[in-house]
Amino acid sequence: MTTSLRTIRVVAAVVEREGRYLITQRRAGAVLPWMWEFPGGRVEPGETDQEALKRELLHRLGVEIDVGKLISCVNHPYEHYAVDLFLYECTLVTENLEPRAVNAFTWVTSEQFDRYTFTPADEASMNKLLDIG
């Protein structure tokens, strides 16, 4: 008997500036604590991906963004649920980032990604994004 996992729709922003990408670190109390990811979060019922991304980046980093095109989508199964992670190209409308609902944020080049421990879903999307793996 197979049990189908509940799937959670998650969106994340790929914000690139001068060859560096914005990544955020999860807080200690979060699922997958201290891991790094592209900023974003869960899409709530009745919300578009774009609305969710704007809400999440304002909540997590205090910034407004413009949401661009969909870059990639990966499905990643965890033990009790699966995540459909949609990555969107985004640009900052406001510049002053504050770690409001994240432990930290930083700007890294794609060559520096392997220095950070990413969530499995983000790892899968990065591999797809960078055409590796």
Side-chain angles (χ1 to χ4, degrees):
M1 180 171 102
T2 58
T3 316
S4 68
L5 293 174
R6 177 174 62 104
T7 300
I8 300 168
R9 187 180 183 97
V10 174
V11 289
V14 176
V15 180
E16 184 267 336
R17 189 167 64 192
E18 297 169 10
R20 294 179 179 273
Y21 297 89
L22 177 64
I23 60 172
T24 56
Q25 186 181 43
R26 289 171 168 256
R27 290 177 161 176
V31 175
L32 307 172
W34 307 118
M35 290 189 153
W36 291 84
E37 62 191 354
F38 291 111
R42 161 185 319 225
V43 179
E44 299 297 339
E47 209 175 30
T48 66
D49 287 0
Q50 291 77 7
E51 290 166 342
L53 266 174
K54 289 180 178 200
R55 175 182 50 75
E56 286 288 352
L57 267 80
L58 191 59
H59 171 71
R60 293 173 188 274
L61 294 164
V63 290
E64 292 180 30
I65 58 165
D66 278 333
V67 181
K69 68 177 186 192
L70 177 67
I71 298 172
S72 74
C73 170
V74 297
N75 175 275
H76 187 82
Y78 288 92
E79 189 177 354
H80 299 294
Y81 56 90
V83 167
D84 280 340
L85 175 62
F86 294 84
L87 283 183
Y88 285 88
E89 203 171 79
C90 296
T91 51
L92 296 178
V93 175
T94 54
E95 292 289 322
N96 295 334
L97 292 109
E98 299 170 35
R100 291 182 178 177
V102 295
N103 187 61
F105 68 87
T106 190
W107 293 89
V108 296
T109 64
S110 56
E111 292 79 27
Q112 296 169 319
F113 283 158
D114 61 0
R115 298 182 196 170
Y116 297 85
T117 304
F118 282 87
T119 65
D122 278 81
E123 186 85 39
S125 22
M126 279 190 322
N127 291 343
K128 193 170 175 181
L129 193 63
L130 301 172
D131 206 22
I132 55 178

